[in-house]
Amino acid sequence: MAIKQKFIHFFFTLLFLSSHLLLVTCKNADDSEVEDESPFTYEEGTGKGPKNWGHIDPQWQVCDNGKLQSPIDLLDERAQIFPGLGKLKRGYKPAAAVLKNRGHDISVEWRGDAGKIVANGTDYKVLQCHWHSPSEHTLNGTRHNLELHIVHRSSSGGIAVVGILYEIGRPDSFLAKLLHHIKRADEGDIIDLGVVSPGDIKFGSRKYYRYIGSLTVPPCTEGVLWTIVKKVRTVSREQIRAIRDVVHDGFEANARPLQQENGRQVYLYRPIA
């Protein structure tokens, strides 16, 4: 038992240090993500598609030559099961929020303190969430209909993103509360939502994948601590259609293609029964 505990401690230390060493260049999530979508698109053949992102702006070169890029395919057969990662600790709370149509996606941004998650012993404050359709990550080779990213930042500037995948089925309860706002959000609009709790976002499972990757939009900053919930939840066709209809032309399908794993280890947390 003592040996196992020492190994778990070593693993946590190694993962913690590696993630934070990679994150030192990332000041905060909002600064790192592109707000103006005009320089890039998701359509290949336009000269501004994903294959060209690294050549559009000198600060985006890592989109092309980075070795820790996201998204990736999450394969159960290659994931290392590691219960020692522990349950993802969520400490979310209601706070003032706005809905933004950023042109390339729809996001909810918290203006007050909406709480945090704790990952690898580090607190990450929740900043915003946004949607990609279809999903960016794939599970065992399957691409799903939608992916939600919940973006967090630590006091040292580290970025941690929680991803939740969705397939067509019953409406998602969190999106249901936002749907009428989404439908009227023209490009560039910022709509006051009042008080919103990120705790209303349903995870549905304690199982998750964990790996080190990057932002999935330019500038593709690396060193992001990714947590992808294993359970695939459901979303209605109407909800996906609303998200797609209001974004700028060329961003209706706003999923970056899969990136090379480059030998990275993916861990799977599965609670001990």
Side-chain angles (χ1 to χ4, degrees):
M1 181 61 68
I3 294 176
K4 182 178 181 181
Q5 289 177 338
K6 288 181 180 179
F7 173 74
I8 291 174
H9 177 74
F10 172 76
F11 171 82
F12 272 117
T13 302
L14 181 62
L15 188 57
F16 176 83
L17 289 174
S18 63
S19 64
H20 282 262
L21 284 171
L22 290 164
L23 287 165
V24 292
T25 60
C26 195
K27 291 184 291 183
N28 71 59
D30 288 335
D31 288 345
S32 297
E33 288 194 342
V34 170
E35 289 289 332
D36 177 10
E37 84 290 346
S38 58
F40 77 96
T41 183
Y42 288 88
E43 296 179 331
E44 299 293 5
T46 62
K48 299 190 296 182
K51 291 182 179 178
N52 296 98
W53 287 356
H55 305 286
I56 295 174
D57 187 311
Q59 297 184 13
W60 298 0
Q61 291 181 12
V62 71
C63 297
D64 182 56
N65 59 25
K67 301 301 182 183
L68 301 172
Q69 291 293 291
S70 297
I72 61 174
D73 184 27
L74 301 166
L75 292 170
D76 283 343
E77 64 183 22
R78 296 184 61 183
Q80 180 178 332
I81 298 173
F82 199 80
L85 280 172
K87 179 182 177 181
L88 183 66
K89 297 178 182 178
R90 288 176 282 166
Y92 294 143
K93 55 187 177 182
V98 296
L99 184 137
K100 299 174 69 173
N101 185 337
R102 301 193 293 183
H104 62 285
D105 66 17
I106 295 293
S107 69
V108 173
E109 180 182 299
W110 280 276
R111 295 294 175 86
D113 180 8
K116 64 184 181 181
I117 61 169
V118 181
N120 296 349
T122 299
D123 291 353
Y124 292 88
K125 178 182 176 181
V126 62
L127 298 178
Q128 53 104 330
C129 68
H130 60 270
W131 291 265
H132 294 268
S133 178
S135 73
E136 297 198 298
H137 290 88
T138 58
L139 298 185
N140 299 306
T142 298
R143 188 177 298 279
H144 293 280
N145 300 98
L146 186 71
E147 182 168 341
L148 170 66
H149 291 165
I150 313 171
V151 183
H152 309 74
R153 183 185 70 209
S154 71
S155 59
S156 63
I159 303 299
V161 182
V162 176
I164 305 174
L165 309 183
Y166 301 81
E167 61 187 0
I168 297 296
R170 295 175 60 85
D172 174 62
S173 58
F174 183 67
L175 267 174
K177 298 176 181 179
L178 305 171
L179 199 61
H180 67 288
H181 296 297
I182 292 174
K183 288 181 176 180
R184 66 185 181 90
D186 293 328
E187 183 182 349
D189 280 357
I190 300 177
I191 299 173
D192 185 4
L193 297 176
V195 174
V196 176
S197 175
D200 291 338
I201 300 172
K202 306 300 182 185
F203 283 35
S205 173
R206 292 185 296 168
K207 299 177 183 177
Y208 63 81
Y209 300 93
R210 171 69 54 78
Y211 80 100
I212 302 296
S214 73
L215 297 176
T216 62
V217 296
C220 309
T221 306
E222 296 188 331
V224 173
L225 186 68
W226 278 96
T227 301
I228 306 294
V229 178
K230 183 171 176 56
K231 181 180 176 62
V232 178
R233 298 191 59 80
T234 61
V235 63
S236 71
R237 293 185 186 278
E238 179 189 9
Q239 290 174 331
I240 291 180
R241 185 163 55 248
I243 289 173
R244 287 186 165 213
D245 285 350
V246 298
V247 294
H248 189 74
D249 290 344
F251 293 88
E252 296 89 349
N254 60 352
R256 187 187 190 190
L258 292 176
Q259 304 297 300
Q260 296 293 322
E261 292 184 17
N262 293 320
R264 279 175 285 176
Q265 180 63 61
V266 175
Y267 298 94
L268 173 60
Y269 169 69
R270 193 165 64 191
I272 299 175

